[in-house]
């Protein structure tokens, strides 16, 4: 998507999920895709609990459905012993159901996040496989170095 079009359509360029995957990890992107809710005050009509004021539209709303975030008011003790009024997320209310059930949607998002994880860094699998061999080499080399050290120092003891 050209950045100019994205800015005119959504107000700012939507996030690149592959970059978010590399920077913040799987759990963050999973929670990001699970916490969209209807917010009439936003230009896109959608907001996100994990990344408030995101420009990304809820492209999976047809599968998940539409939901509204329910906040509750909480009094917290602030500085100087004064109480402050805060809104804390409580749960989601379903406005319109989607095509998938909640468990099916969770599986779909999990598969999507795993795909994004692979696409964000395809060489990661090869690097991890190579890492196992490097650790095994270092263990064997350490054992050989210990044998040589024992051989050299046997006359000193």
């Amino acid at each position: 998507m050209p950045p100019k079009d994205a800015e005119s359509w959504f107000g700012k360029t939507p996030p690149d999920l592959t970059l978010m995957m590399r920077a913040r990890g799987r759990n963050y992107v999973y929670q990001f895709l699970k916490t969209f809710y209807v917010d009439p005050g936003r230009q896109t009509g959608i907001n996100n609990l994990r990344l408030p004021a995101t420009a990304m539209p809820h492209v999976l709303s047809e599968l998940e459905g539409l939901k509204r975030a329910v906040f509750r008011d909480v009094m917290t003790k602030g500085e100087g012993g004064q109480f402050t009024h805060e809104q804390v997320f409580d749960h989601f209310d379903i406005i319109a159901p989607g095509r998938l059930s909640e468990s099916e949607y969770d599986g779909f998002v999990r598969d999507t996040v795993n795909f994004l994880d692979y696409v964000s860094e395809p060489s990661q699998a090869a690097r991890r496989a190579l890492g196992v061999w490097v650790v095994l080499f270092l263990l064997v080399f350490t054992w050989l170095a210990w044998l040589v050290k024992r051989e050299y120092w046997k006359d000193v003891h």
Side-chain angles (χ1 to χ4, degrees):
M1 173 182 336
K4 230 179 197 180
D5 290 341
E7 194 166 326
S8 68
W9 294 337
F10 306 119
K12 60 182 177 179
T13 306
D16 182 353
L17 294 180
T18 58
L19 292 177
M20 286 177 68
M21 183 70 68
R22 289 183 76 181
R24 298 193 177 178
R26 288 184 195 181
N27 291 336
Y28 182 86
V29 175
Y30 179 81
Q31 291 173 355
F32 175 73
L33 291 174
K34 292 278 297 166
T35 57
F36 280 100
Y37 65 94
V38 174
D39 185 2
R42 299 275 308 138
Q43 181 180 357
T44 59
I46 298 291
N47 208 344
N48 192 291
L49 286 176
R50 194 70 173 136
L51 185 62
T54 184
M56 181 173 168
H58 187 21
V59 294
L60 302 176
S61 63
E62 184 178 321
L63 300 176
E64 183 186 24
L66 298 176
K67 56 189 178 183
R68 177 177 58 87
V70 177
F71 296 95
R72 60 184 165 87
D73 294 329
V74 175
M75 298 294 283
T76 58
K77 197 169 193 174
E79 293 180 17
Q82 296 176 340
F83 285 98
T84 58
H85 200 78
E86 290 184 10
Q87 283 191 329
V88 177
F89 171 72
D90 197 20
H91 65 279
F92 288 115
D93 281 342
I94 303 296
I95 297 172
R99 291 189 333 195
L100 300 177
S101 69
E102 188 173 343
S103 62
E104 290 172 331
Y105 182 72
D106 287 343
F108 177 79
V109 171
R110 185 179 59 248
D111 292 343
T112 303
V113 166
N114 284 330
F115 173 74
L116 287 171
D117 185 37
Y118 172 74
V119 169
S120 70
E121 194 173 1
S123 63
Q124 182 181 41
R127 193 177 69 239
R128 286 184 179 167
L130 180 64
V132 171
W133 289 107
V134 168
V135 169
L136 289 175
F137 170 77
L138 289 174
L139 289 174
V140 169
F141 186 75
T142 302
W143 176 69
L144 288 173
W146 178 75
L147 288 176
V148 168
K149 180 246 181 208
R150 201 173 79 175
E151 182 66 28
Y152 281 146
W153 285 85
K154 71 178 178 182
D155 296 331
V156 173
H157 294 292

